[in-house]
Amino acid sequence: GESVGLHLPTLSVQEGDNSIINCAYSNSASDYFIWYKQESGKGPQFIIDIRSNMDKRQGQRVTVLLNKTVKHLSLQIAATQPGDSAVYFCAENISGAQKLVFGQGTRLTINP
Amino acid sequence: NAGVTQTPKFRVLKTGQSMTLLCAQDMNHEYMYWYRQDPGMGLRLIHYSVGEGTTAKGEVPDGYNVSRLKKQNFLLGLESAAPSQTSVYFCASSYSMWAGWNNEQFFGPGTRLTVL
C-alpha cells in the first residue's frame, strides 16, 4: 500500500553539525516530493521540493536527495542551528491520485 | 499579508456539540484544504476546494462538512462532535492544485480541538 514513513522518530545533533533526516516511500507512481518543517505550535512550513526526474536539489543550507531505486528521500541540513529544532516530515505527490501523502515526522533536537 | 489564518486557536467541545472552524487567506489562492494531524500519523486531508463555490472530499471526510462561499474563506463544520475528532486541524492554501513545482501549500497555525 501507499505509505510515507520515517526511519527515525527522533534525531539529536550537536549545533554546527550536519543533520540527515530520512524518509521512505512506497508508491512508485509518486512524481514529486516535499519536505516540511513544523515548529512547536505552528503549522507546517515548506522547506524544499524535488521532482522524480531529479536526484538532488539544493537550497540554502538544505539539500534533498532522491533515490528512486530504493524509494528513499533524505533531507540534509548543513551547520545545524538552534532554530532548526522542529519536526520534519516528507510528503509525496502520487501522480494521478490528486493527493499528497504525508509522513509522520522526525523530531530534530539541537544540542548546544 | 497575514497569509493563512485560522480561528479559533483552541476549542473544547462536548460530544454531540457542533462548531465551525474558519480559515481565511489573503493570497488570492484558488485552492484550499483542511487537514487533521494526529499523534503518530501524518497529515490527513479532510476536504478541499478548487475554487469559490466548490468543495470535494479528501481522505477522511466523514463527520465533517465544508463550505467555500468566498474565495478567501474555507469553513470546516462539525455537526455532531465525537471524541475521535479530537485533533489539531490545519488549513492550507495554494496557487494551483496539489503539488507542483514551487506550488507551495501555505499552512495556517492550526486549531487544537478537544472533544470530551
Side-chain angles (χ1 to χ4, degrees), chain B residues 1-3 23-24 31 42 54-55 57 69 80 83 88 98 101 106 108-109:
Chain B
N1 289 348
C23 176
Y31 300 87
T54 70
T55 63
K57 293 181 179 180
L69 298 180
S80 180
V88 181
W98 301 115
W101 207 232
F106 293 83

Side-chain angles (χ1 to χ4, degrees), chain A residues 7-76:
Chain A
H7 295 309
L8 297 173
T10 59
L11 177 65
S12 294
V13 298
Q14 291 296 122
E15 183 177 349
D17 287 352
N18 297 335
S19 303
I20 300 176
I21 301 170
N22 297 304
C23 181
Y25 67 96
S26 61
N27 199 312
S28 58
S30 296
D31 59 0
Y32 178 71
F33 305 86
I34 311 166
W35 279 101
Y36 287 93
K37 173 185 180 182
Q38 188 175 17
E39 296 175 274
S40 181
K42 296 184 178 180
Q45 180 182 9
F46 173 96
I47 302 173
I48 192 168
D49 55 1
I50 189 168
R51 283 205 175 280
S52 58
N53 61 354
M54 303 174 71
D55 54 18
K56 180 179 180 179
R57 193 173 187 218
Q58 288 184 295
Q60 187 177 14
R61 281 202 308 118
V62 295
T63 300
V64 56
L65 299 178
L66 176 63
N67 185 331
K68 295 181 288 294
T69 302
V70 295
K71 297 189 180 67
H72 183 268
L73 192 69
S74 69
L75 176 70
Q76 300 179 0

Side-chain angles (χ1 to χ4, degrees), chain B residues 25-89:
Chain B
Q25 53 93 5
D26 61 2
M27 296 173 282
N28 202 34
H29 286 164
E30 288 291 339
Y31 300 87
M32 297 188 74
Y33 318 83
W34 274 107
Y35 293 94
R36 59 178 290 173
Q37 186 176 46
D38 300 295
M41 302 184 73
L43 287 165
R44 292 182 293 168
L45 183 66
I46 304 171
H47 284 281
Y48 64 97
S49 169
V50 301
E52 182 178 322
T54 70
T55 63
K57 293 181 179 180
E59 182 183 357
V60 288
D62 294 343
Y64 305 95
N65 57 75
V66 287
S67 64
R68 184 98 181 267
L69 298 180
K70 293 183 179 180
K71 185 177 183 178
Q72 63 268 34
N73 295 337
F74 195 28
L75 279 63
L76 177 71
L78 285 73
E79 291 185 347
S80 180
S84 61
Q85 293 177 304
T86 294
S87 187
V88 181
Y89 292 86

